[in-house]
Amino acid sequence: MISRFCFLVFVLFLFGSSSNAIPESEVKSICIKTQNPPFCVTLLSSNPNATIAELTQNTIDIARTNVSNAITLIKKLIDESEKNPKAKGHYKACLDHFGEDGALGDVDYTQELLKKGDFQGVNVAAASITDDVEDCISGESPTDPAFDDHSSLPSYAIVIESVVSVLLVLSKHLGH
Ligand SMILES: *[C@@H]1O[C@H](CO)[C@@H](O)[C@H](O)[C@H]1NC(C)=O
Ligand SMILES: *[C@@H]1O[C@H](CO)[C@@H](O)[C@H](O)[C@H]1NC(C)=O
């Protein structure tokens, strides 16, 4: 019951906050500010009549799926690196950076802040997702040599960073 009520409140918030669907020209002007504009246009155009708030919600959902997929992959990579302690250490560190205390937790935090209408907060929390991902891929400090990763994890990371870059621009847009 409670979750159903929260959902209703959230839906009312979505309709109340900005009730007009955004025109195609606005999709372009949003996407030009992102890391990967064609990716952004594809992502936002899959929801033609959505408002900015709805698109932001949708983008958070995609980010959560992509971070969860990366976590599943990392767990598999840890299992597969029994005989390679260096790889195992790297993937274990990545699991921390992607997990509840890292990227996944930050995705949930963007969700919580969006519900509260704290768009500036969504923007800040979204930036932390990218930092978490970069801590895994590039190492925590600039002096750390990056692990030479031949798995699919770096390409998963690029997808997450592209999604987050859309979220950064959308949340900035909502804050105006
Ligand atoms: C979007 O809105 C337009 C105009 O109201 C409508 O013609 C079109 O069918 C809608 N598209 C979708 C996918 O709902
Ligand atoms: C990211 O999430 C989207 C939407 O759920 C999905 O279509 C896509 O395959 C995912 N990509 C990765 C690399 O997880």
Side-chain angles (χ1 to χ4, degrees):
M1 278 309 272
I2 286 186
S3 72
R4 202 170 283 180
F5 175 73
C6 288
F7 180 72
L8 182 65
V9 169
F10 182 49
V11 168
L12 290 176
F13 154 72
L14 285 178
F15 281 103
S17 58
S18 61
S19 51
N20 294 319
I22 60 169
E24 203 180 319
S25 60
E26 200 173 345
V27 168
K28 283 199 182 124
S29 75
I30 288 172
C31 287
I32 204 78
K33 296 178 197 149
T34 67
Q35 214 176 56
N36 185 345
F39 178 93
C40 170
V41 170
T42 307
L43 192 143
L44 297 186
S45 305
S46 61
N47 249 327
N49 288 341
T51 64
I52 301 262
E54 288 165 340
L55 290 173
T56 306
Q57 175 59 55
N58 208 262
T59 307
I60 291 174
D61 291 340
I62 294 170
R64 185 184 294 101
T65 307
N66 291 162
V67 169
S68 301
N69 290 346
I71 291 172
T72 305
L73 174 67
I74 293 167
K75 287 180 175 162
K76 187 168 141 263
L77 292 168
I78 291 173
D79 287 343
E80 288 171 359
S81 51
E82 273 316 323
K83 290 180 186 143
N84 185 344
K86 192 168 171 236
K88 192 167 185 172
H90 171 70
Y91 294 128
K92 279 192 155 173
C94 285
L95 189 57
D96 289 338
H97 292 307
F98 275 80
E100 284 294 343
D101 294 327
L104 190 60
D106 286 326
V107 171
D108 287 340
Y109 196 41
T110 61
Q111 175 71 81
E112 198 183 313
L113 294 168
L114 179 65
K115 283 187 192 176
K116 287 184 183 153
D118 179 358
F119 307 125
Q120 172 66 27
V122 173
N123 192 271
V124 173
S128 315
I129 303 170
T130 305
D131 290 344
D132 296 325
V133 171
E134 273 308 304
D135 282 348
C136 156
I137 301 297
S138 311
E140 282 171 58
S141 84
T143 54
D144 277 353
F147 179 73
D148 187 20
D149 195 340
H150 297 287
S151 76
S152 318
L153 185 56
S155 65
Y156 278 45
I158 288 170
V159 172
I160 295 169
E161 288 178 6
S162 302
V163 173
V164 169
S165 124
V166 177
L167 184 54
L168 285 170
V169 178
L170 286 173
S171 54
K172 197 165 263 176
H173 212 81
L174 274 173
H176 285 171

